Amino acid sequence: MLIAAALFAGLVAGLLLARAWRPLLDRRRRWQHSIAGVDSREAPTVSAREALSEQGHILEMIATRAPMPEVLDRLVQLAESQVKGVSASILLLDNPDPTPLPAPGTGWSTPILSHSEAVLGSFVVHAQDGWAPTAHQRHCIESAARLAGIAIERQRSEQRIRHMAHHDELTGLPNRALLQDRMTQALGQARRTGRPLALLFLDLDGFKYINDSLGHEVGDRLLRAVAGRLQAIVRQGDTVARLGGDEFVVMLVDLPRADEAALVAHEIVQALSRPLRFDERLLHVTASLGLATFPADGDSAELLLKQADAAMYRAKAEGRNGFQCYTRDMGLQALQRVELQSALRLAVEHDQFELHYQPQVAPESGRIVAVEALLRWRHPVLGNVSPDRFIPLAEETGLIAPIGRWVLRSAGRQLQAWHAAGHTRLVMAVNLSARQFITQDIPQLVRETLELCGLPPQALELELTETALMHNAESVHATLSTLKAIGVLLALDDFGTGYSSLNHLRRFPIDTIKIDKSFTAEIATSDDTAAIVRAIVEMAGSLGVEIVAEGVEHEQQLRLLAALHCHRVQGYHIGRPMPAAELAPLLGVPDEPPSCDLMLDETHDAATPLAS
Ligand SMILES: Nc1nc2c(ncn2[C@@H]2O[C@H](COP(=O)(O)O[C@H]3[C@@H](O)[C@H](n4cnc5c(=O)[nH]c(N)nc54)O[C@@H]3COP(=O)(O)O)[C@@H](O)[C@H]2O)c(=O)[nH]1
């Protein structure tokens, strides 16, 4: 059945040959031969022994990777020498050369098949009108077609392997190896012509969240779409490469002036920030780009790539969705970042973390009703490293998972100690990073912590940022509902800084909102800000949501917030984050007498090993 189908395909292929199919070889010589009137039917056919030996030669040519046109030429000659009076040609389905063939008198063809029976082309013989192949002639031509199939398939798989070694499988873009090659060539050319070259290092913002929350299929589609947009922007001769993950490099060559690269960078930022539609979903993705140029910023491929990478990190630090040109101080910072990353790994192993606690006071009573656990890293050489520096690094490296687990358990143990000391209504607020929220089984971690520390769930408040809620609303909703069912409190951190704060409040089961420091900072000086804070407090009141105002640094701010009936206030004016031992005396009179079993240690050592 398959063979019949293949033969039929061969016939169809033969009929279509003059129009759609394209000759691989320049057959003109052969056609001229027959048109010129040399009666090739008179040519003697080769003996079976000679034909066999020629087949052997051809197989050897295939095995030794002789050029394909030569192999096919030999096969054509073999067929012509075996079948008296015909001229032969090989037509390939995907030959890019559209030379039309002269119309034959009578044509007969057999398909050239791959080992999986896919049609690769057709072996065509042309003869005078009325000619039809004998069984033996068919056999000869089909044998030649089989050898052609082997040769073509072998060449294609070699091409495929070569392509795979130099291209990214997902996007089809050049990979790091090919980019390196092209950069070396382009640098040579730039040196000769004196025309600048630019490298743009591009990293998508928040791609990991999209991948983790919406799944790898969406992530892959997004990467392909980004590749498409980048390719649409650059000129022929420029290179768009994917280094892996969400990192792309664009190499712009032969620039009239180095600053032209900034225009392209700007265009890329604009193009990528346009929403992408996947099925029913609109995805917003932005990118941070770093730009380094030759000769100004470096004279080797490695150095330029490193500088562009450093500039990209600056673009991230400057708020993302933009680009930065390389400057000297960035190199130093990049080095520091790499060092910090390995130091952070060691910090996990060497228990260099501790927790500080910042009080949250109820303005009406002046009592500490809650504390926020804030992570501190004391490095033996670097000293105190700010969480603003190491939390993003921990997220990037995945270390946030073990660190986050340690934070929750240590804070839980400390709260257990304070509860046992009689401060039974004290609430512990713990920050969850967006990445941790998506990649870890938070409900399970929370259950374990509550059980381990014997805490009532309402004593634990989990602070989430809007970034954590932004992606994959359904799964976030499910996780929050599970946490709600466990009974812990959920707080929305930095409220008012995101672009759909109110929307999040409507959709998710939030118990507390923390008005961002930036509002508190202006509450006493800007009527507009005061009005916004008042509106937030009123709205929260009608939704039954508690309000915490953070960043209270002055007495006047405290008074205004108290007058607005904020439930809790937090800030340097009330108390800075401090070790548990310093905070303990500020907790005031216990609500209940201390429990005997835990009276011994009111200030649990937060530096509990991560493994515990
Ligand atoms: N995922 C986790 N994130 C954490 C953890 N611990 C901290 N963090 C986050 O790091 C960011 C910086 O934290 P930090 O340097 O500790 O700063 C906190 C306070 O010290 C600071 N603060 C408090 N009061 C004031 C004030 O009056 N003025 C002022 N300028 N700053 C003040 O604010 C930070 C607390 O912010 P927030 O979390 O929004 O309540 C920060 O984003 C932390 O969240 C951790 O364990 N996991």
Side-chain angles (χ1 to χ4, degrees), residues 355 358 372-376 386-388 390-391 395 400 403-404 407 430-434 436 463 465 493-494 514 516-517 550-553 570-573 575-577:
L355 286 181
Q358 188 173 30
E372 180 181 359
L374 290 160
L375 186 58
R376 297 293 176 258
S386 156
D388 279 330
F390 73 79
I391 296 279
E395 290 187 333
I400 193 68
I403 294 175
V407 168
V430 176
N431 288 282
L432 285 187
S433 102
Q436 187 190 358
E463 290 193 10
T465 59
D493 207 355
D494 307 334
K514 292 190 79 179
D516 188 63
K517 295 188 222 15
E550 49 178 334
V552 180
E553 294 185 350
Q570 175 185 356
Y572 294 166
H573 182 65
R576 286 182 177 258

Side-chain angles (χ1 to χ4, degrees), residues 117-191:
E117 310 272 320
V119 178
L120 303 171
S122 191
F123 207 108
V124 188
V125 291
H126 310 271
Q128 300 288 332
D129 282 341
W131 179 85
T134 64
H136 173 70
Q137 287 171 330
R138 283 172 84 120
H139 172 76
C140 293
I141 300 165
E142 280 163 8
S143 298
R146 265 195 299 281
L147 283 179
I150 295 170
I152 295 163
E153 235 188 331
R154 171 154 197 159
Q155 191 215 32
R156 295 215 177 139
S157 58
E158 276 169 12
Q159 278 171 348
R160 245 194 320 274
I161 290 166
R162 262 201 303 280
H163 188 269
M164 274 162 64
H166 291 104
H167 291 83
D168 164 50
E169 203 184 332
L170 180 72
T171 58
L173 292 177
N175 63 10
R176 189 185 282 271
L178 185 53
L179 173 72
Q180 198 80 30
D181 248 33
R182 294 206 182 156
M183 281 198 308
T184 310
Q185 279 177 28
L187 278 170
Q189 196 186 354
R191 278 188 200 100

